[in-house]
Short mmCIF file of all heavy atoms in Angstrom, two decimals:
data_model
loop_
_atom_site.label_atom_id
_atom_site.label_comp_id
_atom_site.label_asym_id
_atom_site.label_seq_id
_atom_site.Cartn_x
_atom_site.Cartn_y
_atom_site.Cartn_z
N GLY A 139 -0.50 17.75 -16.79
CA GLY A 139 -1.63 18.40 -17.44
C GLY A 139 -2.93 18.30 -16.66
O GLY A 139 -3.05 17.55 -15.69
N MET A 140 -3.90 19.11 -17.07
CA MET A 140 -5.25 19.06 -16.52
C MET A 140 -6.25 19.08 -17.68
O MET A 140 -6.11 19.88 -18.61
CB MET A 140 -5.52 20.26 -15.60
CG MET A 140 -4.82 20.18 -14.26
SD MET A 140 -5.43 21.47 -13.13
CE MET A 140 -4.53 21.05 -11.62
N SER A 141 -7.22 18.20 -17.63
CA SER A 141 -8.22 18.10 -18.68
C SER A 141 -9.06 19.37 -18.77
O SER A 141 -9.72 19.76 -17.80
CB SER A 141 -9.14 16.90 -18.41
OG SER A 141 -10.30 16.96 -19.21
N GLU A 142 -9.05 19.99 -19.92
CA GLU A 142 -9.86 21.20 -20.11
C GLU A 142 -11.35 20.86 -20.04
O GLU A 142 -12.15 21.67 -19.59
CB GLU A 142 -9.53 21.84 -21.47
CG GLU A 142 -8.16 22.51 -21.52
CD GLU A 142 -8.08 23.69 -20.57
OE1 GLU A 142 -9.10 24.37 -20.35
OE2 GLU A 142 -6.98 23.93 -20.01
N GLU A 143 -11.72 19.68 -20.52
CA GLU A 143 -13.12 19.27 -20.48
C GLU A 143 -13.64 19.29 -19.04
O GLU A 143 -14.74 19.77 -18.77
CB GLU A 143 -13.28 17.86 -21.06
CG GLU A 143 -14.71 17.32 -20.97
CD GLU A 143 -14.81 15.85 -21.30
OE1 GLU A 143 -13.76 15.17 -21.35
OE2 GLU A 143 -15.94 15.37 -21.51
N VAL A 144 -12.85 18.77 -18.12
CA VAL A 144 -13.27 18.74 -16.72
C VAL A 144 -13.30 20.14 -16.13
O VAL A 144 -14.25 20.51 -15.42
CB VAL A 144 -12.34 17.82 -15.89
CG1 VAL A 144 -12.81 17.79 -14.44
CG2 VAL A 144 -12.32 16.41 -16.47
N LEU A 145 -12.28 20.94 -16.41
CA LEU A 145 -12.21 22.28 -15.83
C LEU A 145 -13.37 23.16 -16.29
O LEU A 145 -13.76 24.08 -15.58
CB LEU A 145 -10.88 22.94 -16.22
CG LEU A 145 -9.63 22.39 -15.53
CD1 LEU A 145 -8.38 23.07 -16.10
CD2 LEU A 145 -9.70 22.58 -14.02
N LYS A 146 -13.92 22.88 -17.46
CA LYS A 146 -15.04 23.66 -17.98
C LYS A 146 -16.38 23.22 -17.39
O LYS A 146 -17.40 23.89 -17.60
CB LYS A 146 -15.09 23.55 -19.51
CG LYS A 146 -13.95 24.26 -20.21
CD LYS A 146 -14.01 24.03 -21.72
CE LYS A 146 -12.83 24.71 -22.42
NZ LYS A 146 -12.84 24.43 -23.89
N ALA A 147 -16.40 22.09 -16.68
CA ALA A 147 -17.65 21.58 -16.11
C ALA A 147 -18.09 22.44 -14.92
O ALA A 147 -17.31 23.20 -14.34
CB ALA A 147 -17.47 20.13 -15.67
N THR A 148 -19.35 22.31 -14.57
CA THR A 148 -19.90 23.01 -13.40
C THR A 148 -19.88 22.07 -12.20
O THR A 148 -20.51 21.02 -12.22
CB THR A 148 -21.35 23.47 -13.67
OG1 THR A 148 -21.35 24.34 -14.81
CG2 THR A 148 -21.91 24.20 -12.46
N CYS A 149 -19.16 22.47 -11.19
CA CYS A 149 -19.04 21.63 -10.00
C CYS A 149 -20.36 21.63 -9.23
O CYS A 149 -20.95 22.70 -9.01
CB CYS A 149 -17.91 22.15 -9.10
SG CYS A 149 -17.56 21.09 -7.67
N PRO A 150 -20.85 20.47 -8.82
CA PRO A 150 -22.06 20.44 -7.99
C PRO A 150 -21.92 21.33 -6.76
O PRO A 150 -20.83 21.41 -6.16
CB PRO A 150 -22.18 18.96 -7.60
CG PRO A 150 -21.48 18.23 -8.70
CD PRO A 150 -20.33 19.12 -9.10
N GLN A 151 -22.99 21.98 -6.39
CA GLN A 151 -22.98 22.94 -5.30
C GLN A 151 -22.39 22.36 -4.02
O GLN A 151 -21.60 22.99 -3.32
CB GLN A 151 -24.40 23.46 -5.03
CG GLN A 151 -24.49 24.52 -3.95
CD GLN A 151 -23.82 25.83 -4.34
OE1 GLN A 151 -23.88 26.23 -5.50
NE2 GLN A 151 -23.19 26.50 -3.39
N GLU A 152 -22.77 21.11 -3.72
CA GLU A 152 -22.34 20.50 -2.45
C GLU A 152 -20.86 20.16 -2.42
O GLU A 152 -20.32 19.83 -1.35
CB GLU A 152 -23.16 19.24 -2.18
CG GLU A 152 -23.06 18.15 -3.22
CD GLU A 152 -24.06 18.30 -4.35
OE1 GLU A 152 -24.57 19.42 -4.56
OE2 GLU A 152 -24.33 17.28 -5.02
N LEU A 153 -20.17 20.26 -3.56
CA LEU A 153 -18.75 19.94 -3.61
C LEU A 153 -17.88 21.17 -3.87
O LEU A 153 -16.67 21.06 -4.01
CB LEU A 153 -18.48 18.89 -4.69
CG LEU A 153 -19.12 17.52 -4.50
CD1 LEU A 153 -18.85 16.62 -5.70
CD2 LEU A 153 -18.63 16.86 -3.22
N GLN A 154 -18.48 22.33 -3.90
CA GLN A 154 -17.72 23.53 -4.26
C GLN A 154 -16.81 24.05 -3.16
O GLN A 154 -15.86 24.77 -3.43
CB GLN A 154 -18.69 24.64 -4.70
CG GLN A 154 -19.35 24.35 -6.04
CD GLN A 154 -20.19 25.52 -6.55
OE1 GLN A 154 -20.21 26.59 -5.95
NE2 GLN A 154 -20.89 25.30 -7.66
N SER A 155 -17.07 23.68 -1.93
CA SER A 155 -16.27 24.19 -0.81
C SER A 155 -15.41 23.12 -0.15
O SER A 155 -14.95 23.28 0.99
CB SER A 155 -17.20 24.83 0.24
OG SER A 155 -17.96 25.89 -0.32
N VAL A 156 -15.19 22.02 -0.85
CA VAL A 156 -14.38 20.93 -0.30
C VAL A 156 -12.95 21.40 -0.05
O VAL A 156 -12.35 22.09 -0.88
CB VAL A 156 -14.39 19.72 -1.27
CG1 VAL A 156 -13.39 18.67 -0.82
CG2 VAL A 156 -15.79 19.13 -1.35
N LYS A 157 -12.38 21.01 1.09
CA LYS A 157 -11.01 21.37 1.45
C LYS A 157 -10.10 20.15 1.30
O LYS A 157 -10.56 19.01 1.29
CB LYS A 157 -10.96 21.89 2.89
CG LYS A 157 -11.79 23.15 3.13
CD LYS A 157 -11.70 23.58 4.59
CE LYS A 157 -12.43 24.90 4.83
NZ LYS A 157 -13.88 24.80 4.53
N ASP A 158 -8.80 20.42 1.23
CA ASP A 158 -7.82 19.35 1.06
C ASP A 158 -7.98 18.24 2.09
O ASP A 158 -7.89 17.05 1.78
CB ASP A 158 -6.40 19.91 1.16
CG ASP A 158 -6.01 20.78 -0.03
OD1 ASP A 158 -6.90 21.06 -0.86
OD2 ASP A 158 -4.84 21.17 -0.12
N GLU A 159 -8.20 18.65 3.33
CA GLU A 159 -8.26 17.65 4.42
C GLU A 159 -9.51 16.80 4.37
O GLU A 159 -9.61 15.77 5.07
CB GLU A 159 -8.15 18.35 5.78
CG GLU A 159 -9.22 19.40 6.05
CD GLU A 159 -8.81 20.80 5.66
OE1 GLU A 159 -7.95 20.95 4.75
OE2 GLU A 159 -9.35 21.76 6.26
N ASP A 160 -10.49 17.18 3.55
CA ASP A 160 -11.72 16.39 3.40
C ASP A 160 -11.55 15.23 2.43
O ASP A 160 -12.41 14.34 2.36
CB ASP A 160 -12.87 17.27 2.88
CG ASP A 160 -13.18 18.45 3.78
OD1 ASP A 160 -12.98 18.31 5.01
OD2 ASP A 160 -13.61 19.49 3.26
N VAL A 161 -10.45 15.25 1.66
CA VAL A 161 -10.33 14.38 0.49
C VAL A 161 -9.38 13.21 0.73
O VAL A 161 -8.32 13.36 1.33
CB VAL A 161 -9.82 15.20 -0.72
CG1 VAL A 161 -9.58 14.30 -1.93
CG2 VAL A 161 -10.81 16.30 -1.06
N VAL A 162 -9.77 12.04 0.24
CA VAL A 162 -8.87 10.89 0.13
C VAL A 162 -8.99 10.38 -1.30
O VAL A 162 -10.10 10.18 -1.80
CB VAL A 162 -9.21 9.77 1.12
CG1 VAL A 162 -8.24 8.59 0.94
CG2 VAL A 162 -9.17 10.27 2.55
N VAL A 163 -7.85 10.17 -1.95
CA VAL A 163 -7.83 9.60 -3.29
C VAL A 163 -7.40 8.14 -3.19
O VAL A 163 -6.37 7.83 -2.60
CB VAL A 163 -6.85 10.38 -4.20
CG1 VAL A 163 -6.77 9.72 -5.59
CG2 VAL A 163 -7.29 11.84 -4.33
N TRP A 164 -8.21 7.26 -3.78
CA TRP A 164 -7.94 5.81 -3.76
C TRP A 164 -7.50 5.38 -5.16
O TRP A 164 -8.20 5.62 -6.13
CB TRP A 164 -9.17 5.05 -3.33
CG TRP A 164 -9.56 5.30 -1.90
CD1 TRP A 164 -10.35 6.30 -1.41
CD2 TRP A 164 -9.13 4.55 -0.76
NE1 TRP A 164 -10.45 6.22 -0.04
CE2 TRP A 164 -9.72 5.14 0.39
CE3 TRP A 164 -8.32 3.43 -0.58
CZ2 TRP A 164 -9.52 4.66 1.68
CZ3 TRP A 164 -8.12 2.93 0.70
CH2 TRP A 164 -8.71 3.54 1.81
N VAL A 165 -6.33 4.72 -5.23
CA VAL A 165 -5.71 4.42 -6.52
C VAL A 165 -5.48 2.92 -6.69
O VAL A 165 -4.82 2.28 -5.87
CB VAL A 165 -4.35 5.14 -6.65
CG1 VAL A 165 -3.64 4.74 -7.94
CG2 VAL A 165 -4.53 6.65 -6.56
N ASP A 166 -6.04 2.36 -7.76
CA ASP A 166 -5.65 1.03 -8.22
C ASP A 166 -5.00 1.24 -9.59
O ASP A 166 -5.69 1.49 -10.57
CB ASP A 166 -6.85 0.09 -8.34
CG ASP A 166 -6.41 -1.35 -8.58
OD1 ASP A 166 -5.27 -1.56 -9.04
OD2 ASP A 166 -7.21 -2.28 -8.31
N PRO A 167 -3.68 1.15 -9.65
CA PRO A 167 -2.98 1.51 -10.89
C PRO A 167 -3.22 0.53 -12.03
O PRO A 167 -3.07 0.89 -13.20
CB PRO A 167 -1.51 1.51 -10.47
CG PRO A 167 -1.46 0.54 -9.31
CD PRO A 167 -2.75 0.74 -8.58
N LEU A 168 -3.59 -0.72 -11.69
CA LEU A 168 -3.89 -1.71 -12.71
C LEU A 168 -4.85 -2.72 -12.10
O LEU A 168 -4.45 -3.66 -11.43
CB LEU A 168 -2.61 -2.39 -13.20
CG LEU A 168 -2.65 -3.08 -14.58
CD1 LEU A 168 -1.24 -3.47 -15.02
CD2 LEU A 168 -3.55 -4.30 -14.59
#
Side-chain angles (χ1 to χ4, degrees):
M140 287 191 176
S141 166
E142 289 296 327
E143 176 191 14
V144 181
L145 288 175
K146 291 176 182 177
T148 301
C149 186
Q151 183 67 36
E152 60 272 21
L153 296 176
Q154 290 187 5
S155 301
V156 171
K157 299 179 176 61
D158 290 7
E159 58 267 27
D160 301 329
V161 176
V162 180
V163 177
W164 293 87
V165 176
D166 190 339
L168 201 169

